[in-house]
Amino acid sequence: AKVVMWMKHPPVYLGQYLVSPPLSLSRILAYEQEHDTVTYWYRAPLQYGKRTVETVALSTFIGRMSQHILPKGFPLIRY
């Protein structure tokens, strides 16, 4: 069942395994399976909180999110 979820909605599936996701699922606006693109929004720090919408390739999105996955055995610091 997880393989099917991964293939249908990779951004949602990946978000379940991040300890503290850098991007909430509500910020993902669209996943276009035909083009393998993900559209999401974020607040630009230098533009006084203005929302910026970005569309990137799925491989780029997964690469950016995987940078936030802690290595095995790495202690998590909660604040």
Side-chain angles (χ1 to χ4, degrees):
K2 289 191 179 210
V3 173
V4 174
M5 178 64 174
W6 166 248
M7 296 179 82
K8 288 185 178 180
H9 304 287
V12 174
Y13 180 82
L14 182 63
Q16 296 173 356
Y17 290 93
L18 298 175
V19 174
S20 176
L23 186 70
S24 68
L25 295 177
S26 63
R27 291 187 180 203
I28 298 174
L29 302 175
Y31 165 60
E32 296 183 29
Q33 192 170 5
E34 300 168 353
H35 305 292
D36 278 341
T37 59
V38 178
T39 302
Y40 63 94
W41 68 269
Y42 63 92
R43 296 193 190 277
L46 299 178
Q47 296 179 356
Y48 303 105
K50 182 180 176 185
R51 286 186 178 187
T52 302
V53 176
E54 185 172 12
T55 301
V56 295
L58 179 61
S59 59
T60 302
F61 181 79
I62 291 174
R64 289 178 182 177
M65 295 300 114
S66 67
Q67 292 177 357
H68 297 274
I69 298 174
L70 296 175
K72 187 175 182 177
F74 196 81
L76 172 65
I77 299 173
R78 296 181 189 262
Y79 57 92

